[in-house]
Amino acid sequence: MASPSQQLPPGWTAEWDPASQRYLFIQASTGRSQWEVPTPAPAQSIDHAPSVSPPPYATHHGKRRQYAAGQTQVYYGAGDALGDQYGGLGVPQQQQPAATAQLFTPGLAAEGGFAGQQQVPQASYYAPQQEPQYINAPGFGQEPTYHPPNAPIHHLTDQFGQMGMGQKPLHLTTTNLLTSPPDPRELVRPPPEIRLPANACITTSPYANADPSYQRCTINAIPTTSSMLNKSKIPLGLVITPYRTLKEGEPPVPVVTDTVIARCRRCRTYINPYVQFIDNGNRWRCCMCSMSNEVPQLFDWDQIRNQPGDRWARDELNHSVVEFVAPTEYMVRPPQPAVYVILIDVSHTAVQSGMVATATRTILENLDRIPNEDERTKVAIIAYDISLYFFSMPPGTTESTMLVVSDVDDVFLPKPTDLLINLTEARQSLESLLGRINDMFQDNHTVGSAMGPALQAGFKLMAPIGGKIMVLSSSLPNVGAGSLKNREDLKILGTSKESGLLQAASPFYKTFAIECSRAQVSVDMFLFSAAYQDVASLACLPHYTSGQTYFYPAFNAARSEDAIKFAHEFGEVLAMPIMLEAVMRVRASKGLRMASFHGNFFVRSTDLLAMPAVPTDQSYAIEIQIEDTLTQPFVVMQTAVLHTTCHGERRIRVITLALPTTSSLTEVFASADQVAIATLLANKAVERSLTHKLEDARDAVHQRLVEILSSYKSSMTSAGAGANAQLAISENLRMLPVLVLGLLKNVGIRQSAQIPPDLRAYAQALLTTLPSQTLIPYIHPTFFSLHNMQPEAGTVGEQGVILPTPLPLTSERLERHGLYLIEDGQTIFLWIGRDAVPQLVMDVFNLPNYEVLRGGKTTLPVLDNDFSRRVNAIIQKTREMRRGVYYPHLYVVKEDGEPPLRLWALSCLIQDRADVLPSYQQFIGQLKDKVNGANNY
């Protein structure tokens, strides 16, 4: 058959498609393809108009800084690819014809199209040489909004099956990662919509399905078979944060107080908005196992008013997250009081660093914040160096007596009473003691740490009740049980043996942790050493007892920033409303099974997670297997946490998530949640680094990403198994590669021979406990330009302080006269360029010029000018906006300052190349080669 290209309008080509036995027509300038023969466009009426109308972002301005020629032009598209423009400069902006970026339909690119895409106008790296300006200078423009160029889009919904449930299916949009740069704003958008079939829910309440901050799934449309799940290569899992903190304005979790708890007789599911009422409302059908159950007699009775109640107003039928007050059958013993045993290292280094003084002052200042509503809370203080120091505080006095136990090999309690005291009754003596502890040990020259024996003593004190042990330690434990040796060996850093340094050196820490878990005792570690402290071993205790590890390397309270950070975080932990004696179980619809668990807990039986004290904002990840074909139109996953509140009430928190099922791979990809996937991969990577090697962990994460991209290419694009000039993925997964790159560059698993084992072990503890909201910035930091931020940034709007527009994480956005903020939730860097004008330095730091500014840890002054107030407001918002107790340090980083600090800050810009680690463009190129290679052998 003759080619019809002779009759085509200019700019169109025809390609024979053997699969459909017909011609496909492709517009070379846009990559758009169609089956119908194109018709010529009407003649342009404007003489100088470009042949293709330029997109709105194709305007240019002489002041706009441009990217390096060749290196990134292809990546960001032609011309002023990021689409920003500086306004308000008083210079008329000239509209220029733009070379429209070549767009491709996956696998259907025009011949020579990709080569043509490489041929783009060259641009200089730096903007035209001008005097550096500063936001308060007259006429200086504002930071533009970051708009990535339009990604190549091809609607595949006509070519692939859809989810046939009477619901409008999710729209799948394909994007080409080679020409579509990451947009940081996508990470704060909600996950793909959950589209349940009609009548799945018995209520119209907007709270009927779990908010993603409590529970989110990696896929929001569950494939009906395991073979389909395996074909997609997307890991199926849940990310759960059952006790997340409530921000101002958020609705509290409703509490059902009448102790009427309806549960399925067979699978023990709690009644929820996805059950069905049958038999005239006298029975209900379980949404997980379809068992028919009786509705409890008191379910329709209002016990407060003692009259018939409205069933449909019950919280458990309208809310996916609900808390039941538990009746006595849910108690093994009466609810226990909250118990806090605080172990304070008083060795020479601890006292000299100021840790002891800061800790005791923080406890004293937060006594009123320690949960004690029922006035049953108990507290004990034990100090230790190479001996143990107990304090007897009889109630009703202001006196306390110190009792010394030097035999640390056989720990005993020196007195049966008055060591663990009621916080209310012995408040005066406790306050008096806290004011004196630092003075008692001020001249202590003892070096050494009997932390293990101190833990045993604290355990003996509280074992009958349970509670929380808080350990404050400034040195490596080296006396008695659990003593450790310095095993830091620089020669094995970066080798296959390095993962051994991330495992516990002594079996004591795991066996003691399991003992604690059995006795309902949780352990928090606060570590302060300037030298090696073996965080990997010590973090075992929080890991198995649902505690948390906090690390303050080289702590020195003489630096006010160190003292403020520790005091803030320790105070928040003391005041935290903890959940005691908790057990957690996740149930799911028939055909789904909870396969493996990640997080801080001890797996007591196959699926029962023991948590002696659940802190707020701690996250858990659970992998799910599809065991049988799912026949229901939707599935339900329900997390139940039985616990005692810190004011002595037994409760059950229930979180229910309902998701549709689908037999369409299109729907699976369109519903994938990139944030949940990255969270699950972070947990899996840490576990693999401990069971195998760090290199294995990196390879496994990288390989999973390659498999997802390969699956998408072969299943969702017409390229199939052939090589392709594109790297296609669905729009909702566009940020997954940069998140994986951020994870591979994170201190926890990064390839490097320079990372101290303590820092790596602490980073791994964060990767496995942070909720997604805090974890994502930890692996994909936030980057703001402050010197030219938009006028409203730093001011108060409806949602609080308005933040600047986030920038892509590349140093190409750093200008020599600029001021930037880079933060990852744990640390904030204020980067200042060497050509910063004196007025900027004066307005922010109250110093005459850049030369006298010192880099390093600092507290920013609040000055009497608008810019200073806005910068301080942004820093304050950054510290407060995320869940968790963390209070990030602020470092000033000068462009020509200390190399270690500069490199640390620049390591947050994960789209740049660093050491052996690739830039984002290189990483995408490697992925494309792997994906094309994966299908060709």
Side-chain angles (χ1 to χ4, degrees), residues 88 129 192 239-240 252 405 409 429 435 522 722 724 742 753 795 799 811 891 905 925:
Q129 291 299 313
V239 177
I240 308 168
V405 174
D409 293 324
S429 53
S522 174
N724 191 2
T795 63
Q799 307 295 322
S811 57
Y891 288 87

Side-chain angles (χ1 to χ4, degrees), residues 549-615:
T549 303
Y550 302 91
F551 188 35
Y552 308 90
F555 177 84
N556 182 1
R559 283 193 303 262
S560 61
E561 292 81 16
D562 282 13
I564 290 168
K565 176 180 170 66
F566 166 53
H568 178 275
E569 295 180 359
F570 188 35
E572 291 297 309
V573 173
L574 286 168
M576 186 185 287
I578 51 174
M579 292 69 191
L580 304 162
E581 301 184 277
V583 287
M584 181 167 93
R585 178 173 270 135
V586 182
R587 298 176 174 87
S589 294
K590 187 180 177 187
L592 297 176
R593 182 175 72 85
M594 302 300 131
S596 58
F597 306 89
H598 306 277
N600 284 7
F601 45 70
F602 181 65
V603 184
R604 192 179 291 172
S605 62
T606 51
D607 64 343
L608 189 69
L609 311 180
M611 302 173 176
V614 187

Side-chain angles (χ1 to χ4, degrees), residues 267-344:
C267 68
R268 307 303 292 153
T269 296
Y270 293 82
I271 199 168
N272 59 73
Y274 300 95
V275 303
Q276 283 181 307
F277 286 104
I278 54 176
D279 192 15
N280 295 322
N282 293 318
R283 302 181 71 81
W284 61 277
R285 179 172 286 125
C286 176
C287 53
M288 289 202 196
C289 71
S290 300
M291 178 80 173
S292 171
N293 300 277
E294 282 189 20
V295 175
Q297 287 183 338
L298 293 174
F299 198 72
D300 298 312
W301 186 257
D302 187 332
Q303 296 184 24
I304 298 172
R305 297 188 181 86
N306 206 23
Q307 65 185 35
D310 179 6
R311 170 184 298 189
W312 304 110
R314 288 188 70 94
D315 286 324
E316 62 266 48
L317 298 183
N318 289 284
H319 292 263
S320 59
V321 184
V322 68
E323 208 156 82
F324 296 96
V325 174
T328 52
E329 57 261 35
Y330 287 84
M331 304 178 195
V332 178
R333 58 180 181 174
Q336 300 297 299
V339 175
Y340 297 85
V341 173
I342 302 168
L343 310 181
I344 304 176

